[in-house]
Amino acid sequence: MTLALYNTLTRRVEPFAPLAPPRVTLYTCGPTVWNFAHIGNFRTFLFEDLLRRYLEYSAYQVFHIMNLTDVDDRTIKAAASAGKRLDEHTAPFVRAFYEDRDYLRIRPAHVYPRATESVPAMVQLVERLLQRGVAYKGDDGSIYFAIAKFPTYGRLSRLDTRELKVGARVASDEYGKDDPRDFALWKRAEPVDDQVGAAWDAPFGRGRPGWHLECSAMSLEQVGRCCHTQTLDIHAGGVDLIFPHHEDEIAQAEAATGQPFARYWLHGEFLNVRGTKMSKRFGNFLTARDLRDQGVDAAAVRLLFWQTHYRKPLDFTDEALSAAGQGVKRLGEFHERLVRAAGAAGAAGDGKGPLAVLTTQFESQFRAALDDDLNAPQACAALFNFVHDGHGALDTRAPGAPGAPGAPGALGALERAMAVLDILPTPRPADPAFERSIIERVAARDKARQAKDFSAADRIRAELKAQGVEIEDGAAGTTWRRV
Ligand SMILES: [Zn+2]
């Protein structure tokens, strides 16, 4: 079986085949850095992380572009009300986004183009659209895209463009349009834009880019620079971006290049908090840093998100998060046990046996689940069956048998799966003084055992247990771990 993905463009799960394998070009709409990103935004970024990691697991070479929207209506408004220049206002939120990304173990994109640093590409794109006659200057001095000149408009969102016309509201600042459906590519500079440093000179007038234009220009510029193409393999984002954002991105890019803009469109569903849509008003507005400050292990957040398919809404509750935390802990214990068993097994330990059979079964189930449109809930179910049955196989090995046959193979499979899911518990920070004291006590116990003073040895074991340390005597000596 090979990877198949649900393509919003065709409304079908399709076999995935990139244009120039093994390369995959991936563009994901990034955060608007007017404020902290909330966990709903991060659900989208985590689904994209799963996609990216699974492509890499499947031996594709991914070139991942994520933009930062550092100029748009919201950033300008927020900067103006804080009495700051645009870059002064957005800089701390850019830093916060990177910190939150690292906390949540999201693999960094290869490039993070910023809108404010990509203005020349946007100006060029507008010029091309003007030359091709699909853009025009409105009575208000802004530049608009003429939807009537792009007959396939609405293909992604399957909107009936006639309905769109009836339903369209003419925004007060966009009174200069020929057709109410048309959208702004370039907005004429207002005094507030100049005040915060968000206006640029262009041959068609001083102004600033529209949000949709930013993504088209940045993706075309980056994918052209890296891979000499004008067609992305995958474009992804949240479902709320399908219309109008992605529809408009397609119109701008395809009208300019005459090439398909993206071959696969993937969209992640919403996140609700305790049953309702997240909002500041309901007091359920959560950011990634709120979770980090509460001491939540990012592994638990990731597992919680993997347990719902990316195309289904996810309900975020404290109970679900704490259950995911328990799952992560169980997984960590199994991983540690495999590490010890694999160490004891040595080079000769990777033989056949029940654990080897379970490992093969797990890997094929894991792959089949993720090949099927990134079915992470099913991949997690296979993983936790492996944990359960793997413990069983380790428990039932013959007493006194050297090592655990199959343990190195099982460990390898688990770690390969972790390269995709990345849900092992975050290691506790090392405490050298504590570790020294434990090593001393373990050595004292070894001495007592050698002198056959088993009551002293048992006393030390109990004493260590009280400190949260478990010890295990194996062929390679005594090992200890914090529980
Ligand atoms: Zn975008």
Side-chain angles (χ1 to χ4, degrees), residues 63-143:
F63 186 75
H64 180 190
I65 308 160
M66 177 180 261
N67 71 297
L68 300 177
T69 300
D70 60 356
V71 53
D72 76 331
D73 295 349
R74 281 186 299 179
T75 45
I76 291 170
K77 203 172 157 201
S81 65
K84 288 182 175 165
R85 289 184 63 79
L86 193 65
D87 50 351
E88 262 182 311
H89 178 76
T90 57
F93 295 117
V94 172
R95 273 199 304 278
F97 169 69
Y98 290 145
E99 282 167 17
D100 293 348
R101 174 201 67 190
D102 294 346
Y103 158 64
L104 289 171
R105 307 182 186 177
I106 293 172
R107 216 169 257 180
H110 297 90
V111 280
Y112 287 98
R114 294 191 189 197
T116 53
E117 291 170 3
S118 310
V119 172
M122 297 169 196
V123 169
Q124 258 178 32
L125 184 55
V126 173
E127 286 202 285
R128 274 168 92 180
L129 294 169
L130 284 166
Q131 279 159 16
R132 289 187 166 228
V134 287
Y136 63 92
K137 192 172 205 162
D139 297 338
D140 59 353
S142 293
I143 308 293

Coordinates of all heavy atoms in Angstrom, one line a residue, residues 63-143:
F63 N 10.5 19.7 1.1 CA 10.9 21.1 1.3 C 9.7 21.8 1.8 O 8.7 21.9 1.1 CB 11.4 21.7 -0.1 CG 12.0 23.1 0.1 CD1 13.2 23.3 0.7 CD2 11.2 24.2 -0.2 CE1 13.7 24.6 0.9 CE2 11.7 25.5 0.0 CZ 12.9 25.7 0.5
H64 N 9.8 22.2 3.0 CA 8.6 22.8 3.7 C 8.8 24.3 3.9 O 9.7 24.8 4.5 CB 8.5 22.1 5.1 CG 7.4 22.5 5.9 ND1 7.2 22.2 7.3 CD2 6.3 23.3 5.6 CE1 6.1 22.8 7.7 NE2 5.5 23.4 6.8
I65 N 7.8 25.0 3.3 CA 7.7 26.4 3.4 C 6.6 26.8 4.3 O 5.4 26.4 4.1 CB 7.5 27.1 2.0 CG1 8.5 26.5 1.0 CG2 7.5 28.6 2.1 CD1 8.0 26.7 -0.5
M66 N 6.8 27.6 5.3 CA 5.7 28.2 6.1 C 6.0 29.7 6.2 O 7.0 30.2 6.6 CB 5.7 27.6 7.5 CG 4.6 28.3 8.4 SD 4.5 27.6 10.0 CE 3.1 26.4 9.8
N67 N 4.9 30.5 5.8 CA 5.1 31.9 5.8 C 4.7 32.5 7.2 O 4.1 31.8 8.0 CB 4.2 32.6 4.8 CG 2.7 32.4 5.2 OD1 2.2 31.3 5.4 ND2 2.1 33.6 5.5
L68 N 5.2 33.7 7.5 CA 4.7 34.4 8.7 C 4.0 35.7 8.1 O 4.6 36.5 7.4 CB 5.9 34.8 9.5 CG 6.8 33.7 10.1 CD1 8.0 34.3 10.8 CD2 6.0 32.8 11.0
T69 N 2.7 35.8 8.5 CA 2.0 37.0 8.1 C 2.3 38.1 9.1 O 1.7 38.1 10.2 CB 0.5 36.6 8.0 OG1 0.3 35.6 7.1 CG2 -0.4 37.8 7.6
D70 N 3.2 38.9 8.7 CA 3.5 40.0 9.6 C 3.1 41.4 9.1 O 3.5 42.4 9.7 CB 5.0 40.0 10.0 CG 5.9 40.2 8.7 OD1 5.3 40.3 7.6 OD2 7.1 40.3 8.9
V71 N 2.2 41.4 8.1 CA 1.5 42.6 7.8 C 0.1 42.2 7.2 O 0.0 41.4 6.3 CB 2.3 43.5 6.8 CG1 2.7 42.8 5.6 CG2 1.4 44.7 6.4
D72 N -0.9 42.7 7.8 CA -2.3 42.5 7.4 C -3.2 43.4 8.2 O -2.6 44.2 9.1 CB -2.8 41.0 7.5 CG -3.1 40.6 8.9 OD1 -2.5 41.2 9.8 OD2 -4.0 39.8 9.1
D73 N -4.5 43.4 8.0 CA -5.4 44.3 8.8 C -5.1 44.1 10.3 O -5.1 45.1 11.0 CB -6.8 44.0 8.5 CG -7.2 44.2 7.0 OD1 -6.3 44.9 6.3 OD2 -8.2 43.8 6.6
R74 N -5.0 42.9 10.8 CA -5.0 42.7 12.2 C -3.6 43.2 12.8 O -3.6 43.8 13.9 CB -5.2 41.2 12.6 CG -6.6 40.8 12.6 CD -6.8 39.4 13.0 NE -6.1 38.4 12.2 CZ -6.1 37.1 12.4 NH1 -6.7 36.6 13.4 NH2 -5.5 36.3 11.6
T75 N -2.5 42.9 12.1 CA -1.2 43.3 12.7 C -1.1 44.8 12.7 O -0.6 45.4 13.6 CB -0.1 42.7 11.8 OG1 -0.4 42.9 10.5 CG2 0.2 41.3 12.1
I76 N -1.7 45.5 11.6 CA -1.6 46.9 11.6 C -2.4 47.5 12.7 O -2.0 48.4 13.4 CB -2.1 47.4 10.2 CG1 -1.0 47.0 9.1 CG2 -2.3 48.9 10.2 CD1 -1.5 47.2 7.7
K77 N -3.6 47.0 12.9 CA -4.5 47.5 13.9 C -3.9 47.3 15.3 O -3.9 48.3 16.1 CB -5.9 46.7 13.8 CG -7.0 47.5 14.4 CD -8.3 46.8 14.1 CE -9.3 47.2 15.1 NZ -10.4 46.3 15.3
A78 N -3.3 46.1 15.5 CA -2.7 45.9 16.8 C -1.5 46.8 17.1 O -1.4 47.3 18.2 CB -2.4 44.4 16.9
A79 N -0.7 47.0 16.1 CA 0.5 47.8 16.2 C 0.0 49.3 16.5 O 0.6 49.9 17.4 CB 1.4 47.8 15.0
A80 N -0.9 49.7 15.7 CA -1.4 51.1 15.9 C -2.0 51.3 17.3 O -1.7 52.3 18.0 CB -2.4 51.5 14.9
S81 N -2.7 50.3 17.8 CA -3.3 50.6 19.1 C -2.3 50.4 20.2 O -2.5 51.0 21.3 CB -4.6 49.7 19.3 OG -4.2 48.3 19.4
A82 N -1.2 49.7 20.0 CA -0.1 49.7 21.0 C 0.8 50.8 20.8 O 1.8 50.9 21.6 CB 0.6 48.3 20.8
G83 N 0.6 51.7 19.8 CA 1.5 52.8 19.6 C 2.9 52.4 19.1 O 3.9 53.1 19.4
K84 N 2.9 51.3 18.4 CA 4.3 50.8 18.0 C 4.3 50.7 16.5 O 3.3 50.7 15.8 CB 4.5 49.4 18.5 CG 4.7 49.3 20.0 CD 4.9 47.9 20.5 CE 5.3 47.9 21.9 NZ 5.2 46.5 22.5
R85 N 5.6 50.6 16.0 CA 5.7 50.3 14.6 C 5.5 48.8 14.4 O 5.6 48.0 15.3 CB 7.2 50.7 14.1 CG 7.4 52.2 14.1 CD 8.7 52.6 13.5 NE 8.9 52.2 12.1 CZ 8.4 52.8 11.1 NH1 7.7 53.9 11.2 NH2 8.7 52.4 9.8
L86 N 5.1 48.5 13.1 CA 4.7 47.1 12.8 C 5.7 46.0 13.3 O 5.4 45.1 14.0 CB 4.5 47.0 11.3 CG 3.7 45.7 10.8 CD1 2.3 45.7 11.4 CD2 3.7 45.7 9.3
D87 N 7.0 46.3 12.9 CA 8.0 45.2 13.2 C 8.3 45.2 14.7 O 8.6 44.1 15.3 CB 9.3 45.5 12.5 CG 9.8 46.9 12.6 OD1 9.1 47.8 13.1 OD2 10.9 47.2 12.1
E88 N 8.1 46.3 15.4 CA 8.3 46.3 16.9 C 7.2 45.4 17.5 O 7.4 44.7 18.5 CB 8.1 47.7 17.4 CG 9.3 48.5 17.7 CD 8.9 49.9 18.2 OE1 7.9 50.5 17.7 OE2 9.4 50.2 19.3
H89 N 6.0 45.6 17.0 CA 4.8 44.9 17.6 C 4.9 43.4 17.3 O 4.6 42.5 18.1 CB 3.5 45.4 17.0 CG 2.3 44.7 17.5 ND1 1.9 44.8 18.8 CD2 1.6 43.7 17.0 CE1 0.8 44.0 19.0 NE2 0.6 43.3 17.9
T90 N 5.3 43.0 16.0 CA 5.3 41.6 15.7 C 6.5 40.8 16.2 O 6.4 39.6 16.4 CB 5.2 41.4 14.1 OG1 6.3 42.1 13.5 CG2 3.9 42.0 13.6
A91 N 7.7 41.4 16.4 CA 8.9 40.7 16.7 C 8.7 39.7 17.9 O 9.0 38.5 17.8 CB 10.0 41.6 17.0
P92 N 8.1 40.2 19.1 CA 8.0 39.2 20.2 C 7.0 38.1 19.9 O 7.2 37.0 20.4 CB 7.4 40.1 21.3 CG 7.0 41.4 20.7 CD 7.7 41.6 19.4
F93 N 6.0 38.3 19.0 CA 5.1 37.2 18.6 C 5.7 36.2 17.7 O 5.4 35.0 17.7 CB 3.8 37.8 18.1 CG 3.0 38.6 19.1 CD1 2.8 39.9 18.9 CD2 2.6 38.0 20.3 CE1 2.1 40.7 19.9 CE2 2.0 38.7 21.3 CZ 1.7 40.1 21.1
V94 N 6.7 36.7 16.9 CA 7.4 35.8 16.0 C 8.3 34.9 16.9 O 8.3 33.6 16.8 CB 8.3 36.5 15.0 CG1 9.3 35.6 14.3 CG2 7.5 37.3 14.0
R95 N 9.0 35.5 17.9 CA 9.8 34.7 18.8 C 8.9 33.7 19.6 O 9.3 32.6 19.8 CB 10.5 35.6 19.9 CG 11.8 36.2 19.4 CD 12.7 36.7 20.5 NE 12.0 37.7 21.3 CZ 11.9 39.0 21.0 NH1 12.5 39.5 19.9 NH2 11.3 39.9 21.8
A96 N 7.8 34.2 20.1 CA 6.9 33.3 20.8 C 6.4 32.1 20.0 O 6.3 31.0 20.4 CB 5.7 34.1 21.3
F97 N 6.2 32.4 18.7 CA 5.7 31.3 17.8 C 6.8 30.2 17.7 O 6.5 29.0 17.8 CB 5.4 31.8 16.4 CG 5.2 30.8 15.4 CD1 4.1 29.9 15.5 CD2 6.1 30.5 14.4 CE1 3.9 28.9 14.6 CE2 5.9 29.5 13.5 CZ 4.8 28.7 13.6
Y98 N 8.0 30.6 17.5 CA 9.1 29.7 17.4 C 9.3 28.9 18.8 O 9.5 27.7 18.7 CB 10.5 30.3 17.1 CG 10.5 30.9 15.7 CD1 11.2 32.1 15.4 CD2 9.9 30.2 14.6 CE1 11.3 32.6 14.1 CE2 10.0 30.7 13.3 CZ 10.7 31.9 13.1 OH 10.8 32.4 11.8
E99 N 9.1 29.6 19.9 CA 9.2 28.9 21.2 C 8.1 27.9 21.3 O 8.3 26.7 21.8 CB 9.1 29.9 22.3 CG 10.3 30.7 22.6 CD 10.0 31.9 23.5 OE1 9.0 31.9 24.2 OE2 10.9 32.8 23.5
D100 N 6.9 28.3 21.0 CA 5.7 27.3 21.1 C 5.9 26.1 20.1 O 5.6 25.0 20.5 CB 4.4 28.1 20.7 CG 4.1 29.1 21.8 OD1 4.7 29.2 22.8 OD2 3.2 30.0 21.5
R101 N 6.4 26.4 18.9 CA 6.7 25.4 18.0 C 7.7 24.3 18.6 O 7.5 23.1 18.5 CB 7.3 26.0 16.7 CG 7.7 25.0 15.7 CD 8.7 25.6 14.7 NE 10.0 25.9 15.4 CZ 11.0 26.6 14.9 NH1 10.8 27.1 13.7 NH2 12.1 26.9 15.6
D102 N 8.7 24.9 19.2 CA 9.7 24.0 19.8 C 9.2 23.2 21.0 O 9.5 22.0 21.2 CB 11.0 24.7 20.2 CG 11.7 25.3 18.9 OD1 11.4 24.9 17.8 OD2 12.6 26.2 19.1
Y103 N 8.4 23.9 21.8 CA 7.8 23.2 22.9 C 6.9 22.0 22.4 O 7.0 21.0 23.0 CB 6.9 24.2 23.7 CG 5.8 23.6 24.6 CD1 6.1 22.8 25.7 CD2 4.5 23.9 24.3 CE1 5.1 22.2 26.4 CE2 3.5 23.4 25.1 CZ 3.8 22.5 26.1 OH 2.8 22.0 26.9
L104 N 6.2 22.3 21.4 CA 5.3 21.2 20.8 C 6.0 20.2 19.9 O 5.3 19.4 19.3 CB 4.1 21.9 20.1 CG 3.1 22.5 21.1 CD1 2.0 23.3 20.3 CD2 2.4 21.5 22.0
R105 N 7.3 20.4 19.8 CA 8.1 19.5 19.0 C 7.8 19.4 17.6 O 7.8 18.4 16.9 CB 8.0 18.0 19.6 CG 8.3 17.9 21.1 CD 8.2 16.4 21.5 NE 8.3 16.2 22.9 CZ 8.2 15.1 23.5 NH1 8.0 14.0 22.8 NH2 8.4 15.0 24.8
I106 N 7.4 20.6 17.1 CA 7.0 20.7 15.6 C 8.3 20.8 14.9 O 9.1 21.7 15.2 CB 6.0 21.8 15.4 CG1 4.7 21.5 16.1 CG2 5.9 22.1 13.9 CD1 3.7 22.6 16.1
R107 N 8.5 20.0 13.9 CA 9.8 20.1 13.1 C 9.8 21.4 12.3 O 8.8 21.7 11.6 CB 9.8 18.9 12.1 CG 11.2 18.4 11.9 CD 11.1 17.0 11.1 NE 11.3 15.9 12.0 CZ 11.3 14.6 11.6 NH1 11.0 14.3 10.3 NH2 11.5 13.7 12.4
P108 N 10.9 22.2 12.5 CA 10.9 23.5 11.8 C 10.8 23.4 10.3 O 11.3 22.5 9.7 CB 12.2 24.1 12.2 CG 12.7 23.3 13.4 CD 12.1 22.0 13.3
A109 N 10.1 24.3 9.7 CA 10.0 24.4 8.2 C 11.4 24.7 7.7 O 12.3 25.2 8.5 CB 9.1 25.5 7.8
H110 N 11.7 24.5 6.4 CA 13.0 24.8 5.9 C 13.2 26.3 5.7 O 14.3 26.9 5.8 CB 13.2 24.1 4.6 CG 13.2 22.6 4.8 ND1 12.1 21.9 4.7 CD2 14.2 21.8 5.2 CE1 12.4 20.6 5.0 NE2 13.7 20.5 5.3
V111 N 12.1 27.0 5.4 CA 12.1 28.5 5.3 C 10.9 29.1 5.9 O 9.8 28.5 5.8 CB 12.2 29.0 3.8 CG1 13.7 28.9 3.3 CG2 11.3 28.3 2.9
Y112 N 11.0 30.2 6.5 CA 9.9 31.0 7.0 C 9.9 32.4 6.4 O 10.3 33.4 7.0 CB 10.0 31.2 8.6 CG 9.8 29.9 9.3 CD1 10.8 29.1 9.8 CD2 8.5 29.5 9.7 CE1 10.6 27.9 10.5 CE2 8.2 28.4 10.4 CZ 9.3 27.6 10.8 OH 9.0 26.4 11.5
P113 N 9.5 32.5 5.1 CA 9.4 33.8 4.5 C 8.5 34.7 5.3 O 7.4 34.3 5.7 CB 9.0 33.5 3.1 CG 8.2 32.2 3.2 CD 8.9 31.5 4.2
R114 N 8.9 36.0 5.4 CA 8.0 36.9 6.1 C 7.4 37.8 5.0 O 8.1 38.3 4.1 CB 8.8 37.8 7.0 CG 9.3 37.0 8.2 CD 9.9 38.0 9.2 NE 10.6 37.3 10.2 CZ 10.9 37.8 11.4 NH1 10.6 39.0 11.7 NH2 11.6 37.0 12.2
A115 N 6.1 38.2 5.2 CA 5.4 39.0 4.2 C 6.2 40.3 4.0 O 6.4 40.8 2.9 CB 4.0 39.3 4.7
T116 N 6.6 41.0 5.1 CA 7.3 42.3 5.0 C 8.6 42.2 4.3 O 9.1 43.2 3.8 CB 7.5 42.9 6.4 OG1 8.2 42.0 7.2 CG2 6.2 43.3 7.0
E117 N 9.2 41.0 4.2 CA 10.5 40.8 3.5 C 10.3 40.3 2.1 O 11.3 40.0 1.4 CB 11.4 39.9 4.4 CG 11.8 40.6 5.6 CD 12.5 39.6 6.6 OE1 12.7 38.5 6.3 OE2 12.9 40.1 7.7
S118 N 9.0 40.1 1.7 CA 8.8 39.5 0.4 C 8.0 40.4 -0.5 O 7.3 40.0 -1.5 CB 8.0 38.2 0.6 OG 8.6 37.4 1.5
V119 N 8.0 41.7 -0.1 CA 7.1 42.7 -0.9 C 7.5 42.8 -2.4 O 6.6 42.8 -3.2 CB 7.1 44.1 -0.2 CG1 6.4 45.1 -1.0 CG2 6.4 44.0 1.2
P120 N 8.8 42.8 -2.7 CA 9.1 42.8 -4.2 C 8.5 41.7 -5.0 O 8.0 42.0 -6.1 CB 10.7 42.7 -4.2 CG 11.1 43.2 -2.9 CD 10.0 42.8 -1.9
A121 N 8.4 40.5 -4.4 CA 7.7 39.4 -5.1 C 6.2 39.7 -5.3 O 5.6 39.3 -6.3 CB 8.0 38.1 -4.4
M122 N 5.7 40.3 -4.3 CA 4.2 40.6 -4.3 C 3.9 41.7 -5.4 O 3.0 41.6 -6.2 CB 3.7 41.1 -3.0 CG 3.9 40.0 -1.9 SD 3.6 40.7 -0.3 CE 4.3 39.4 0.7
V123 N 4.8 42.7 -5.4 CA 4.6 43.8 -6.4 C 4.7 43.2 -7.8 O 3.9 43.5 -8.7 CB 5.7 44.9 -6.2 CG1 5.7 45.9 -7.4 CG2 5.4 45.6 -4.9
Q124 N 5.7 42.3 -8.0 CA 5.9 41.6 -9.3 C 4.7 40.8 -9.7 O 4.2 40.9 -10.9 CB 7.1 40.7 -9.3 CG 8.3 41.2 -9.9 CD 9.4 40.2 -9.7 OE1 9.2 39.0 -9.7 NE2 10.7 40.7 -9.6
L125 N 4.1 40.1 -8.8 CA 2.9 39.3 -9.0 C 1.7 40.2 -9.5 O 1.0 39.9 -10.4 CB 2.6 38.4 -7.8 CG 1.4 37.4 -8.0 CD1 1.6 36.5 -9.1 CD2 1.2 36.6 -6.7
V126 N 1.6 41.3 -8.8 CA 0.5 42.2 -9.1 C 0.7 42.8 -10.5 O -0.2 42.8 -11.3 CB 0.4 43.4 -8.1 CG1 -0.7 44.4 -8.6 CG2 0.0 42.8 -6.7
E127 N 2.0 43.1 -10.8 CA 2.2 43.6 -12.2 C 1.9 42.6 -13.3 O 1.3 42.9 -14.3 CB 3.7 44.0 -12.3 CG 4.0 45.3 -11.5 CD 5.3 46.0 -12.0 OE1 6.3 45.5 -11.7 OE2 5.1 47.0 -12.8
R128 N 2.2 41.3 -13.0 CA 1.9 40.3 -14.0 C 0.4 40.2 -14.2 O -0.1 40.0 -15.3 CB 2.4 38.9 -13.5 CG 3.9 38.7 -13.9 CD 4.5 37.5 -13.2 NE 4.3 36.3 -13.9 CZ 4.7 35.1 -13.4 NH1 5.3 35.0 -12.3 NH2 4.6 34.0 -14.1
L129 N -0.3 40.3 -13.1 CA -1.8 40.1 -13.2 C -2.4 41.3 -13.9 O -3.4 41.2 -14.6 CB -2.4 39.9 -11.8 CG -2.0 38.6 -11.1 CD1 -2.4 38.6 -9.6 CD2 -2.6 37.4 -11.8
L130 N -1.8 42.5 -13.7 CA -2.3 43.7 -14.4 C -2.0 43.5 -15.9 O -2.9 43.8 -16.7 CB -1.6 45.0 -13.9 CG -2.1 45.5 -12.5 CD1 -1.1 46.5 -11.9 CD2 -3.5 46.1 -12.6
Q131 N -0.8 43.1 -16.2 CA -0.4 42.9 -17.6 C -1.3 41.9 -18.3 O -1.7 42.0 -19.5 CB 1.0 42.4 -17.7 CG 2.1 43.5 -17.6 CD 3.4 42.9 -17.2 OE1 3.7 41.7 -17.3 NE2 4.3 43.7 -16.8
R132 N -1.7 40.8 -17.6 CA -2.6 39.8 -18.1 C -4.0 40.2 -18.2 O -4.9 39.4 -18.6 CB -2.4 38.5 -17.4 CG -1.0 37.9 -17.6 CD -0.9 36.5 -17.0 NE 0.3 35.9 -17.6 CZ 0.4 34.7 -18.1 NH1 -0.7 33.9 -18.0 NH2 1.5 34.2 -18.5
G133 N -4.3 41.4 -17.6 CA -5.7 41.9 -17.7 C -6.7 41.2 -16.7 O -7.9 41.3 -16.9
V134 N -6.1 40.5 -15.7 CA -7.0 39.9 -14.7 C -7.1 40.8 -13.4 O -7.8 40.4 -12.5 CB -6.7 38.5 -14.3 CG1 -7.0 37.5 -15.5 CG2 -5.2 38.4 -14.0
A135 N -6.3 41.9 -13.4 CA -6.4 42.8 -12.3 C -6.6 44.2 -12.8 O -6.3 44.5 -14.0 CB -5.1 42.7 -11.5
Y136 N -7.2 45.0 -12.0 CA -7.4 46.4 -12.4 C -7.3 47.3 -11.2 O -7.4 46.9 -10.0 CB -8.8 46.5 -13.0 CG -9.9 46.2 -12.1 CD1 -10.6 47.2 -11.3 CD2 -10.3 44.8 -11.9 CE1 -11.6 46.9 -10.4 CE2 -11.3 44.5 -11.0 CZ -12.0 45.5 -10.3 OH -12.9 45.2 -9.4
K137 N -7.1 48.6 -11.5 CA -7.1 49.6 -10.4 C -8.5 50.1 -10.2 O -9.2 50.6 -11.1 CB -6.1 50.7 -10.8 CG -5.8 51.7 -9.6 CD -4.7 52.6 -10.0 CE -4.0 53.1 -8.8 NZ -2.7 53.7 -9.1
G138 N -8.9 50.0 -8.9 CA -10.3 50.5 -8.6 C -10.3 52.0 -8.4 O -9.3 52.6 -8.4
D139 N -11.6 52.5 -8.3 CA -11.8 53.9 -8.1 C -11.1 54.4 -6.9 O -10.8 55.6 -6.7 CB -13.2 54.3 -8.1 CG -13.9 53.9 -9.4 OD1 -13.2 53.8 -10.4 OD2 -15.2 53.7 -9.4
D140 N -10.9 53.5 -5.9 CA -10.3 54.0 -4.6 C -8.8 53.9 -4.6 O -8.2 54.1 -3.6 CB -10.9 53.1 -3.5 CG -10.6 51.6 -3.7 OD1 -10.1 51.3 -4.8 OD2 -10.9 50.8 -2.8
G141 N -8.2 53.5 -5.8 CA -6.7 53.4 -5.9 C -6.1 52.1 -5.5 O -4.9 51.9 -5.6
S142 N -7.0 51.2 -5.0 CA -6.5 49.8 -4.7 C -6.5 49.0 -6.0 O -7.2 49.3 -6.9 CB -7.4 49.2 -3.6 OG -7.2 49.9 -2.4
I143 N -5.7 47.9 -5.9 CA -5.7 47.0 -7.1 C -6.6 45.7 -6.8 O -6.4 45.1 -5.7 CB -4.3 46.5 -7.4 CG1 -3.4 47.7 -7.6 CG2 -4.3 45.7 -8.7 CD1 -3.6 48.7 -8.7

